[in-house]
Amino acid sequence: MVTICVDVMGSDKDPSELLEGVAAALAADPDLKVLVAGAPDVVEPFCEKSDRAEALPCSEVITMSEHPANAVRQKKGASIVRAAAAVRAGEADGLFSAGSTGAVLTAATFGVGRIKGIKRPALCLPLPGLGDHKTVFLDMGANADVKPEVMVQFAKMGRAYAAVALGVEDARVGLLSNGSEETKGSSMALAYHEALAAGDCGFAGNAEGTDILGDSFDVIVADGFSGNIATKSIEGTGKFVLARLKAAMGQSLLSKIGLALLKGTLKSMSAELSGDEYGGAILLGLKAPVVKGHGSTSARAVCQGTLTAAKAVRGDLCGRIARACEA
């Protein structure tokens, strides 16, 4: 049995929708147990209905509008704080939350703790590519500024996740830059390139923005500033395309028929770009897997995020990262 702690408070959605996702995860994985963190009147009635769900009653919630670090420090009874503490205490093997990104990162980093030697945790997500290819992309925004040696750790962590999540051993690593030539990029990008080339981390050269949804690399690394801009740009482009297609529906009968035929494909593409297939981004570099869902997450995403955390536990993701970075 693997136990995942799910924080059902603090998102933009009603806790009942997150509980639907927890129920779906339990139904999908008979070897899964869930520790459900939240208000007593929310989690206790739900857990009474399942012998594989246990309530973790919490007295406080950290909202999206609060300052993350201050809230985590002041609200010791908050669901995300108590969830991270439960993982550290060994009551759960991993964590899923769709709460405030800053609060989740802060509570998980200090509550769960970093793997020895890891300088910075990184947010990571497999993104769809050409054909059936998927590319592990990190950092998606946890660290705006990083030193070259940290980028090497990102590469090693990304390779470990590619092995566990995608079954890709010896992943090819690219550095997000403004050109494929090794001489391209800012002074910091050139320093990253030099460190990665000497870092024994599967480095295969620079990756351009067009490679993120391509098939040339298995892992692409970036500092959190560039990575967040890139992923938000992809998300915005997807929304723009879908909005334009929906607007075209009323223009002719033929366009309505065509869009009706494409509806399933478009929904699938949207889910891939949003990260719902994995429930959200996983925070690499901690002593236990932590999956961060969107604030407006769906029940399906909660289910997938819980299952993603369980898969990472079973695949010994944290052990792989520790061994890779130690080496």
Side-chain angles (χ1 to χ4, degrees), residues 119-134:
K119 298 180 182 297
R120 298 281 187 90
L123 278 171
C124 167
L125 181 68
L127 292 172
L130 299 176
D132 294 327
H133 187 81
K134 293 185 184 297

Side-chain angles (χ1 to χ4, degrees), residues 24 30 39 61 68 89 95 112 114 151 153 216 224 239 255 260 282 286 302 327:
V61 177
L95 169 62
V112 176
R114 287 176 290 175
M151 195 66 76
Q153 288 193 342
S216 299
K239 289 179 179 178
S255 65
I282 188 166
L286 301 183
V302 175

